Every structure is written in structure tokens, then in C-alpha cells.
Amino acid sequence: MSVASLQKNDANSHAVRCHGLTKTYGQGPTAVQALRGIDLEVCTGELLMLVGPSGCGKTTLISVIAGVLDRDGGECSVFDEDYKQMTEINKTVFRGRNIGFVFQAFNLIPTLTAAENVAAPLIINGTKRHAAISSADEVLQKVGFDRRMTLSFPQDLSGGQQQRVAIARALVHNPRLIVCDEPTSALDPELIGEVLNVMKDLATSGMTMIVVSQCLRHRIVDGKGAGAIDRLRSSSRIDKRFPASRERRGALPGRP
């Protein structure tokens, strides 16, 4: 697995700290160890790209960080909070306030408009419908939607537009961390660029982001903003940070 890092803000302020993180699926001879003693630090305002083949543990890692999957061992804190110390209700509240998740699939509700899809998390958490729709419209404008497009249903939008709606939905509650699980994997090649441009704008604005991808062909950061590419092959530590354009080698242990 490889990691590309673009750091914009205070290197001493950490959004994520993981140490000795482990996760195993199954038991006995068929057990699969997805995470093997992972050490990882993500600074506030940093864009971190995790790149590797399918099955190497990328989604498992970000699911643990996002609090949707429990770790087996090790330590993991997000904004200095440990999920292990939270009740399920407190964990849900924490995720709702601090983390936005962009999935591989768009996961849009087909009977709702773009604005209603984006507003749904706010309405579920008690925001009045009018205020939620207003917030959704504002966020959709940030990802390139005009007023007419906010009233469109998912089936009337292209794949790239649907993924922009999904990104807006992850942003609408003003999270401190955005986690993206292969956000372009379901898109046709000609639509990937528009989604990457939205994510690049978020990264350069100082949003803390962890983005998973299977390949480096489509880079979110480029030109003056290019981050270092980390080739991780033999070490479980990935917590050092190097200036842009430098390369280091190590390993993020994952599934066999």
C-alpha cells in the first residue's frame, strides 16, 4: 500500500493517531489478518491518500478510523477521542459531528432530490427541513451545482454529479475529517476529473481528508501542491512526514 500526503496546516495538531492497530476477520485457520500493527498519524488540515490493491486492508483501516468498525487491538484516537471509551450512542453522536464519509457507491435515495439527499443527515439529527435544505443548497453550490441541479433526482444526474452530491452530503454537517473510500471507482473515466477537482478544492482549503484508491493514475494533488508518494513495503510505521516530492519506503501490512 502507498501513501501520498499533502499537509497544509499545523503539523503539531493531529486529527488521527493510530498505534499498533490490528483487525482480524474470522477465526481459526481461515482467519484473515487485515491490519497488522499499523502506526499512523494524520495531521489536521492534511490530505492523506492510501493507495493499494483490493483486499490489502485500506477500507478496514479507514472504517476503524471513522468509527464504523471496531479494532481488535492497538490504539486509535480521532481528535484526541478514543472510540473504545465511548458508548454506542456517544460514538454515533461523535461521528455525526466530526466525520463525513464518502462511499464507493453513491448511496443516494432515488426518491429524493439532490438537495433532499444532502439535507437528510441534518433532518435526521433534528434540523428543521427548511434550514436543512438551505444548508444543502449552499454546500451543493460549493461542489458546482446550480439551483436547477439541486432539484434533480439521482437518475437525472451523471455519475460524476451523483458523486458530487455524495461529497456534499458528507460535508453538510461541517465535519472536521472527511474519509473517502475509493470515491471514483464507480465512475466512467471521463467523469473522474470533475470529482477529483472538487476534492482537490477541499484539500487546498485545509480540510483534513483521508482518501482511499486502488491506483495512483488519478492524483488529487498535483503541480505545486504535489505530496510525497510513500512506497510502503517492509515496515509497519507510516507516521513520518516528508516534504513534497520526496519519497520514502516502508510497508503498511495488510491482507496477504
Side-chain angles (χ1 to χ4, degrees):
M1 187 184 298
S2 302
V3 175
S5 170
L6 173 62
Q7 187 173 301
K8 302 295 288 184
N9 289 345
D10 184 3
N12 296 316
S13 176
H14 290 93
V16 177
R17 291 177 184 265
C18 298
H19 178 69
L21 202 61
T22 62
K23 179 65 181 179
T24 299
Y25 295 102
Q27 297 179 347
T30 61
V32 176
Q33 192 173 16
L35 302 178
R36 306 175 185 174
I38 300 302
D39 292 347
L40 174 68
E41 293 184 356
V42 183
C43 295
T44 301
E46 180 178 17
L47 165 64
L48 188 78
M49 291 191 69
L50 299 176
V51 182
S54 178
C56 74
K58 305 183 303 298
T59 296
T60 297
L61 176 57
I62 63 170
S63 294
V64 170
I65 290 172
V68 297
L69 184 68
D70 292 333
R71 67 186 187 266
D72 291 338
E75 301 172 359
C76 183
S77 64
V78 180
F79 301 113
D80 296 322
E81 299 286 347
D82 187 343
Y83 294 118
K84 289 282 191 180
Q85 307 303 318
M86 300 180 189
T87 65
E88 286 301 316
I89 292 177
N90 289 340
K91 188 188 298 185
T92 299
V93 171
F94 179 84
R95 286 199 307 262
R97 291 176 177 172
N98 294 284
I99 298 173
F101 209 117
V102 180
F103 302 91
Q104 292 185 43
F106 312 132
N107 291 337
L108 302 180
I109 301 172
T111 56
L112 300 183
T113 66
E116 290 169 338
N117 267 283
V118 174
L122 297 179
I123 295 173
I124 290 172
N125 285 318
T127 303
K128 297 295 185 182
R129 176 182 171 83
H130 178 76
I133 293 294
S134 178
S135 296
D137 286 341
E138 182 178 341
V139 177
L140 281 166
Q141 289 178 17
K142 292 181 180 179
V143 298
F145 270 49
D146 57 30
R147 175 60 181 169
R148 178 187 59 81
M149 293 170 65
T150 67
L151 300 175
S152 299
F153 290 92
Q155 64 267 26
D156 299 321
L157 300 172
S158 69
Q161 290 169 335
Q162 290 185 61
Q163 191 61 292
R164 281 192 277 161
V165 174
I167 293 172
R169 182 181 55 196
L171 291 170
V172 72
H173 60 293
N174 295 315
R176 301 164 69 188
L177 170 66
I178 295 287
V179 178
C180 304
D181 189 6
E182 302 195 36
T184 61
S185 64
L187 300 179
D188 293 332
E190 63 271 16
L191 299 175
I192 290 175
E194 65 178 272
V195 173
L196 293 184
N197 285 336
V198 170
M199 299 182 70
K200 185 190 300 183
D201 290 341
L202 292 174
T204 55
S205 72
M207 173 69 71
T208 306
M209 300 176 68
I210 302 175
V211 182
V212 161
S213 178
Q214 286 192 30
C215 101
L216 282 170
R217 221 177 28 233
H218 306 294
R219 297 281 299 280
I220 292 177
V221 292
D222 57 17
K224 295 181 180 179
I229 303 299
D230 299 349
R231 306 293 182 186
L232 306 170
R233 300 182 190 279
S234 60
S235 165
S236 64
R237 299 196 61 82
I238 54 174
D239 56 354
K240 296 181 180 178
R241 289 291 172 255
F242 286 79
S245 80
R246 290 191 60 186
E247 186 176 85
R248 71 182 188 276
R249 297 186 179 275
L252 178 58
R255 297 184 181 182

